[in-house]
Amino acid sequence: MGRGKIEIKRIENANNRVVTFSKRRNGLLKKAKEITVLCDAKVALVIFASNGKMTDYCCPSMDLGAMLDQYQKLSGKKLWDAKHENLSNEIDRIKKENDSLQLELRHLKGEDIQSLNLKNLMAVENAVEHGLDKVREHQMEVLMTKRRNGKMLEEEHRQLNFQLQQQEMAIASNARGIMMRDHDGQFGYRVQPIQPNLQEKIMSLVID
């Protein structure tokens, strides 16, 4: 007996619906790949499941963006509004600018210069020399800054040593004063200040 004809309508059972989707999705992907290889056709396929999960396929000879652009041109249907077109053009411009900068960087590194003419080679040479001058200038600035910092550290170290010596001398002087007072107190010595009248007598004797 042959397989009975299946009525095309929404499958109510959730499990059966998921199984059927998986089988038919895989079948579509297989057919899309086969027609791409067998017929040299450009095929793009995008499938969204009911849960929002996406499955896509695009032939190796053309990316999906180029295929959508071709579809838009041939069908006359506008897929992108002006805002998206401007954004796309800006992205293309940035990509071209980036490619140009990458090429210029390779030239400055001495790579891919075989195709350059004499004028371009001279421009690369000037750019390299200018960059080298800038590097040397910055190198000198770094060295001078390092030397200044070294001198400042030396001066700070000298001042700290001087302050340390002053503190050590003050501590030693205080220690000697304390030892002398202790010594005088131990042997009963006491230095009496000179009375004013006695000082006048001594001065008169010296004058005479």
Side-chain angles (χ1 to χ4, degrees), residues 30-43 57:
K30 181 180 179 181
K31 293 296 182 182
K33 295 176 182 178
E34 288 177 354
I35 195 173
T36 298
V37 176
L38 295 174
C39 305
D40 193 24
K42 295 179 175 59
V43 179
Y57 167 78

Side-chain angles (χ1 to χ4, degrees), residues 18 21-22 25-26 46-56:
V18 171
F21 171 80
S22 179
R25 177 197 58 194
N26 294 337
V46 180
I47 303 173
F48 292 97
S50 58
N51 60 2
K53 185 177 180 180
M54 183 187 75
T55 304
D56 65 315

Side-chain angles (χ1 to χ4, degrees), residues 92-103:
D92 292 338
R93 185 190 66 79
I94 293 175
K95 287 182 178 179
K96 291 179 181 178
E97 183 177 349
N98 181 67
D99 293 339
S100 177
L101 291 174
Q102 290 293 333
L103 180 60

